[in-house]
Amino acid sequence: QSVLTQPPSVSGAPGQRVTISCTGSSSDIGAGYDVHWYQQLPGTAPKLLIYGNNNRPSGVPDRFSGSKSGTSASLAITGLQADDEADYYCQSYDSVVISWVFGGGTKVTVL
Amino acid sequence: QITLKESGPTLVKPTQTLTLTCTFSGFSLRTSGVGVGWIRQPPGEALEWLADIDWNGEETYSPSLKRRLTITMDLSKNQVVLTMTDMDPVDTATFYCAYRRASHYFAHWGRGSLVSVTS
């Protein structure tokens, strides 16, 4: 069972906006540790999508954005496109158990 | 350009020890703040962080797997090695190594190495 909680799936029509939540606790996100997001396209390795809550690595479209508040974080995808179909994982750090922690992943489906 | 590549057996038997090697380029593990982590993903399941080693040689392990894991680095070969003892079929997974710089995120990942545990 993953430490961070994500919805198993979200879906939207092309062009729509979808959001993915990531809920942690007082020992990880709530302790002030940043949240990072990864995109995993089918059959490929995860790729860093958002780091430090709301920063995009070079090459990531500004359709992807992140936010964090309290013990939770969110990833938003605007202008949903067919090639956004992938699994998305949030990740943070747990200071109590001294571990990097991941969410259970969210599958995004473009209708 | 930072690249990482995992190598090791694709098949191991139950109770055996798994040894995986991550060979990297484009960065040095002598650089302050740099680390390399191992993450696994069972088929159809989520990512699970396993272990990390940093530029200072500091090792960190998943609490639930600590007794079975060892991570080491060979700076002369630009390699990080993960060993996992007492393998079980539930350990079947794709194992990834990833580059971490200063902060707590993994900026670059290898393509992964699928390891199946079966008798």
Side-chain angles (χ1 to χ4, degrees):
Chain A
Q1 188 168 348
S2 301
V3 174
L4 305 178
T5 301
Q6 298 179 235
S9 63
V10 299
S11 61
Q16 281 191 332
R17 179 180 187 268
V18 297
T19 61
I20 300 170
S21 61
C22 174
T23 303
S25 68
S26 58
S27 62
D28 41 63
I29 300 175
Y33 290 98
D34 288 341
V35 177
H36 320 289
W37 293 89
Y38 302 87
Q39 178 192 58
Q40 187 175 33
L41 296 169
T44 69
K47 166 194 157 188
L48 181 66
L49 190 68
I50 296 286
Y51 67 94
N53 305 317
N54 55 12
N55 300 289
R56 284 175 283 105
S58 174
V60 173
D62 59 6
R63 301 186 298 103
F64 296 92
S65 63
S67 63
K68 173 192 162 185
S69 178
T71 58
S72 296
S74 289
L75 173 72
I77 310 173
T78 58
L80 197 61
Q81 299 179 0
D83 56 6
D84 294 334
E85 278 208 342
D87 294 322
Y88 293 82
Y89 293 91
C90 62
Q91 177 251 309
S92 188
Y93 183 79
D94 189 314
S95 58
V96 171
V97 294
I98 317 294
S99 294
W100 284 265
V101 291
F102 285 92
T106 299
K107 182 176 184 60
V108 169
T109 302
V110 182
L111 301 172
Chain B
Q1 181 190 2
I2 290 175
T3 64
L4 305 99
K5 185 175 181 180
E6 306 85 354
S7 59
T10 57
L11 223 56
V12 297
K13 294 185 184 331
T15 75
Q16 286 187 336
T17 294
L18 170 68
T19 299
L20 291 170
T21 300
C22 175
T23 304
F24 58 85
S25 64
F27 68 93
S28 172
L29 250 180
R30 294 183 175 90
T31 302
S32 176
V34 169
V36 171
W38 284 93
I39 300 102
R40 71 176 177 178
Q41 184 175 36
E45 297 186 26
L47 301 169
E48 179 186 16
W49 172 77
L50 301 175
D52 185 277
I53 191 164
D54 71 10
W55 63 281
N56 214 19
E58 182 172 349
E59 306 158 31
T60 316
Y61 298 99
S62 165
S64 62
L65 294 167
K66 184 173 184 175
R67 66 173 182 84
R68 299 173 55 202
L69 296 172
T70 303
I71 188 170
T72 59
M73 61 183 180
D74 185 334
L75 297 178
S76 67
K77 295 181 180 178
N78 276 0
Q79 290 180 336
V80 171
V81 176
L82 180 76
T83 61
M84 189 170 188
T85 61
D86 194 24
M87 293 293 285
D88 183 273
V90 300
D91 295 314
T92 293
T94 297
F95 288 75
Y96 297 99
C97 63
Y99 161 83
R100 180 179 59 78
R101 182 172 178 273
S103 189
H104 292 298
Y105 63 88
F106 299 100
H108 299 276
W109 296 61
R111 297 176 75 171
S113 178
L114 176 60
V115 179
S116 297
V117 185
T118 177
S119 54

